[in-house]
Each structure stands twice: as C-alpha cells, then as structure tokens.
C-alpha cells in the first residue's frame, strides 16, 4: 500500500506538468500564431514602433491579469460585463490560474522559430493554445518611464479571431 501511494505521488506532478506543457511543445501551432500576430502588429496604426524584435522565450501566463475579465469572458463565452456578477466556480478557477501564473516565477520556454535578438522589445506569453499575449515596448527610458502596448490575441488554430489591446506605462 505504501509503495502504491509513493508511485501515485510521483505520477501526479508528471501528469499535471505534461498536460500544462502541451501548448509549448506544439511549435506547429505556436509558430504560425506568432507569424499571424507579427503581421497584425506590422499593420497596427496605434503601435508607434515598426521594428519588432521578439524575445526568444515564451512566458507561461505572464501578464494575463491585464486582460483577466476579457480572457474569462472568452473562456466562459459570456459578456465581459457579466464576469464579475457571475459567481461560478469555473470563473474562479480561471482567475486563479491567471493570478498564480502572474505572481509566481513562471516557466519560460524556448522555441526554434524565435531567434535570439539583441535588445528585444516584444515579449510573448501563453496560458493556453487559443490565446497569446504580446507586450511591445515602444519607449525605453530606464525602468521607470518605459511604455508600450499589450495585445491579447485570440486564435482559431493560427487564424486571428479577435485582438484586444491597451497601453501600458511604468
């Protein structure tokens, strides 16, 4: 009995990690999403920089809290206005997932379609296979005074379904 419990305790984290890690192992899905997002960013009139250099790593859910109500409304297929009035366990689970990935030191994954660039100005984060968050820095004035735009891309495979964006400043 003791050996069975030990085996179960060893297998549970392995199963959970492999399920969470599937989205990052699928470069056939991620790379076309990055290309679609890049084409969108090149055409975006609100973005003040035209030269986008991606960091070679993908963060695990970092900064999704900036779009928490939008993300939850998308996942639950409800209007954004009803996210906070809906007292559902599913909404709470999604919010905790966003909250935990933002405050902990998130996992960072490297993929082959992003090459190492000097002084990157764009950071990619993913929390699932359907969405991608990109933070683009437009001005760098040290740590304080930096500014840019955040984009949350919602995909249907590699086709962009919806894009949400907002400005940020430190």
């Amino acid at each position: 009995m003791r050996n069975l419990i030990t085996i179960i305790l060893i297998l549970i984290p392995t199963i959970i990690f492999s399920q969470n890690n599937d989205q990052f192992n699928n470069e056939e899905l991620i790379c076309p999403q990055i290309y679609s997002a890049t084409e969108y960013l090149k055409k975006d009139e609100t973005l003040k920089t035209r030269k986008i250099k991606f960091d070679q790593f993908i963060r695990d859910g970092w900064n999704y809290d900036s779009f928490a109500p939008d993300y939850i409304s998308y996942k639950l297929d409800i209007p954004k206005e009803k996210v906070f009035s809906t007292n559902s366990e599913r909404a709470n689970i999604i919010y905790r997932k966003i909250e935990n990935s933002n405050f902990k030191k998130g996992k960072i994954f490297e993929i082959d379609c992003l090459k190492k660039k000097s002084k990157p100005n764009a950071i990619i984060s993913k929390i699932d296979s359907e969405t991608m968050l990109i933070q683009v820095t437009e001005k760098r004035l040290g740590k304080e005074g930096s500014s840019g735009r955040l984009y949350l891309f919602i995909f249907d495979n590699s086709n962009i379904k919806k894009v949400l964006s907002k400005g940020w400043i430190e």
Side-chain angles (χ1 to χ4, degrees):
M1 183 67 176
R2 190 173 186 195
N3 289 337
L4 179 63
I5 293 173
T6 304
I7 291 171
I8 290 172
L9 290 175
I10 291 172
L11 287 177
I12 288 176
T14 306
I15 292 169
I16 291 171
F17 179 73
S18 66
Q19 288 173 346
N20 287 343
N21 202 18
D22 285 345
Q23 67 188 346
F24 297 104
N25 288 337
N26 190 355
E27 285 193 42
E28 292 82 28
L29 181 64
I30 293 174
C31 292
Q33 288 178 348
I34 292 171
Y35 297 136
S36 294
T38 303
E39 290 303 312
Y40 178 90
L41 294 175
K42 286 179 183 177
K43 296 174 187 171
D44 186 10
E45 302 277 328
T46 61
L47 191 61
K48 294 177 184 160
T49 184
R50 291 290 138 226
K51 202 171 203 179
I52 299 170
K53 296 195 266 181
F54 286 104
D55 187 19
Q56 68 187 26
F57 301 106
I58 295 181
R59 275 90 177 152
D60 184 17
W62 171 80
N63 222 357
Y64 265 75
D65 61 331
S66 300
F67 291 101
D70 302 290
Y71 180 76
I72 294 169
S73 72
Y74 165 71
K75 291 305 269 186
L76 297 178
D77 197 24
I78 59 174
K80 181 180 169 182
E81 296 77 30
K82 292 187 178 182
V83 167
F84 295 110
S85 62
T86 303
N87 189 9
S88 110
E89 185 60 32
R90 287 178 43 205
N92 292 336
I93 290 170
I94 295 169
Y95 184 74
R96 275 189 241 113
K97 181 179 179 183
I98 293 170
E99 189 178 46
N100 290 338
S101 63
N102 192 47
F103 293 112
K104 69 178 182 177
K105 178 100 174 147
K107 296 180 195 90
I108 299 178
F109 300 90
E110 185 174 3
I111 60 173
D112 292 335
C113 61
L114 293 174
K115 303 298 178 205
K116 186 174 183 168
K117 305 275 185 177
S118 63
K119 298 183 182 177
N121 66 341
I123 298 171
I124 299 174
S125 177
K126 286 187 75 58
I127 205 166
D128 59 27
S129 61
E130 302 167 327
T131 62
M132 177 183 296
L133 185 130
I134 299 178
Q135 175 181 311
V136 181
T137 303
E138 296 173 320
K139 288 186 181 177
R140 271 182 230 247
L141 301 172
K143 189 68 172 164
E144 291 183 19
S146 295
S147 63
R149 296 205 59 79
L150 275 175
Y151 294 89
L152 178 65
F153 290 91
I154 299 172
F155 292 97
D156 179 19
N157 289 323
S158 62
N159 300 321
I160 299 173
K161 275 180 26 179
K162 186 176 183 180
V163 180
L164 304 167
S165 72
K166 61 173 67 172
W168 61 269
I169 189 166
E170 283 185 356

